[in-house]
Amino acid sequence: MSASLPKVELHLHLEGAAPPAFIRGLAAEKKIDISGIFDERGNYAYRDFWHFLTVYEAATAVLTTPEDYHRLTLAVLEESAASGVVYSEAFISPDFCGGRDLSAWRDYLHAIREAADLAERRHSIVLRGIVTPIRHFGPDKAKEAALCAAETAGDWLVGFGLAGDEKSGKPKDFAWSFDAAREAGLRLTCHAGEWGGPDSVRAAIRDLRVERIGHGVRAIEDLALVDEIAEAGIVLELCPGSNVALGLYKDYRSHPIDRLRERGVRVTVSTDDPPFFHTTMALEYDRLAEAFDWDDGVFHEIAKTSAEAAFCTFKTREKILKRLEKTDA
Ligand code: ADE
Ligand code: ZN
């Protein structure tokens, strides 16, 4: 059973992991009407990626206090742990947590970390954070987010990334923010090669000097780029269920994960925004096993690659690697 295989997840948006019932409950408590973002069965409803971003931001608008994020973090980690995840990195954003005000951001971060500590004691799952500004909010807001990230960088807040609409602006518009984050000791990743093609991936690598790429699947359209990624040891945070749900590929079998892996790229598996895409880490494993006939050995190798590519300290990584050696999560 795939839920019992220990897993490492590197690409998870904290708000995007909010169960719809959780968001509906908060909306009811706060008397905010967001009924339009759900379908008749209570799931999130969206037409395409760009509409998904609007629905995502509407759902996030009900998360207005550090206490909301405390509850959200606990709910998300409980679900991840049930899928066998032993270590997770979550994208969190000062845009949604306190409107990029440093003092407010510290309060949100504190609440998230407290919930993570509690979840670690309850479910033996370890969480670390990656500050992720939103690309379509523009480079100036990303700078403010980078300053929040730099001030709170450390053993828990370990990375800096960029999410949102890949068609908005160019990676180099965000170079200042990535440089500031790097100087503060943060490790770097960036969404690219999801809605943009190989050039978008090349630009993220060249202009932001990232060591991981969120998605990066469309590198497959240029095999010279795939070889460069493999050669450089850049890790792809692949989220097959997200790509299928958003219509990038028609099914798991058409997803390039297996071809990228066969060509020597360091691939990892994550869920992105699990309830939006009707997935969990356990379901990703089941669907990949079925599509590509992967056995536990392949999944073990992927979990090990993920642990090695995690942005945590050496000591935390050693602990995770030990847990991967055991068969049960
Ligand atoms: N934010 C949440 N999910 C995302 C995705 N798949 N791509 C870009 N930004 C996102
Ligand atoms: Zn993502």
Side-chain angles (χ1 to χ4, degrees):
M1 249 305 283
S2 69
S4 66
L5 285 180
K7 302 172 185 68
V8 172
E9 176 156 45
L10 300 180
H11 189 118
L12 179 74
H13 299 260
L14 189 56
E15 300 87 4
F22 177 90
I23 292 294
R24 256 196 311 280
L26 265 187
E29 277 173 33
K30 299 181 186 196
K31 305 199 186 328
I32 302 172
D33 181 14
I34 48 160
S35 51
I37 70 168
F38 303 108
D39 65 17
E40 64 286 350
R41 300 164 95 189
N43 292 317
Y44 295 116
Y46 53 88
R47 291 184 297 277
D48 57 20
F49 174 67
W50 291 272
H51 186 223
F52 155 79
L53 289 177
T54 307
V55 168
Y56 184 108
E57 282 161 32
T60 301
V62 308
L63 298 159
T64 55
T65 67
E67 171 58 22
D68 295 339
Y69 270 83
H70 187 281
R71 287 162 68 184
L72 171 65
T73 304
L74 265 185
V76 168
L77 291 179
E78 190 175 333
E79 183 61 44
S80 295
S83 252
V85 177
V86 298
Y87 174 87
S88 182
E89 287 179 4
F91 297 127
I92 46 183
S93 173
D95 296 278
F96 301 132
C97 299
R100 297 174 302 281
D101 173 79
L102 178 58
S103 160
W105 165 246
R106 285 189 196 282
D107 292 343
Y108 277 84
L109 196 56
H110 181 74
I112 294 168
R113 289 189 60 167
E114 274 199 341
D117 287 349
L118 195 53
E120 188 170 338
R121 290 197 295 278
R122 281 188 190 162
H123 309 296
S124 303
I125 180 170
V126 174
L127 180 71
R128 294 293 181 263
I130 299 178
V131 162
T132 305
I134 312 301
R135 188 156 164 168
H136 54 274
F137 293 175
D140 290 342
K141 289 188 172 143
K143 276 186 192 176
E144 291 174 26
L147 293 173
C148 288
E151 286 295 328
T152 48
D155 285 358
W156 197 89
L157 200 282
V158 291
F160 188 77
L162 185 64
D165 183 3
E166 193 181 344
K167 301 247 184 229
S168 169
K170 295 270 173 269
K172 71 169 169 0
D173 304 336
F174 299 89
W176 189 96
S177 299
F178 277 72
D179 288 345
R182 187 185 304 103
E183 274 167 34
L186 291 162
R187 314 263 304 266
L188 305 177
T189 177
C190 177
H191 282 64
E194 182 190 19
W195 302 103
D199 284 350
S200 173
V201 178
R202 278 209 169 83
I205 297 170
R206 183 189 61 228
D207 298 333
L208 304 178
R209 293 162 52 203
V210 292
E211 54 184 296
R212 295 191 338 217
I213 296 274
H215 300 284
V217 271
R218 292 193 50 200
I220 199 71
E221 295 164 24
D222 179 343
L223 292 181
L225 174 61
V226 173
D227 292 342
E228 279 170 42
I229 290 171
E231 183 78 10
I234 290 169
V235 169
L236 298 189
E237 303 157 6
L238 298 175
C239 309
S242 159
N243 299 151
V244 171
L246 289 169
L248 212 48
Y249 301 103
K250 76 171 189 324
D251 53 26
Y252 277 70
R253 223 184 265 267
S254 317
H255 193 277
I257 186 167
D258 201 42
R259 280 175 285 153
L260 290 162
R261 194 178 80 86
E262 290 287 338
R263 217 171 158 98
V265 173
R266 299 172 73 200
V267 302
T268 64
V269 173
S270 295
T271 56
D272 209 7
D273 308 283
F276 281 89
F277 307 137
H278 306 284
T279 192
T280 64
M281 279 294 275
L283 285 171
E284 289 299 313
Y285 272 41
D286 289 342
R287 291 166 182 163
L288 288 167
E290 199 193 328
F292 300 114
D293 210 15
W294 284 357
D295 59 18
D296 286 0
V298 176
F299 289 111
H300 183 256
E301 180 192 301
I302 286 177
K304 219 167 146 229
T305 300
S306 309
E308 280 157 4
F311 288 161
C312 59
T313 60
F314 176 82
K315 205 168 138 207
T316 302
R317 184 191 331 287
E318 289 301 296
K319 273 199 220 158
I320 305 163
L321 284 167
K322 276 215 181 76
R323 288 196 62 193
L324 299 185
E325 294 310 322
K326 301 185 190 143
T327 39
D328 288 331

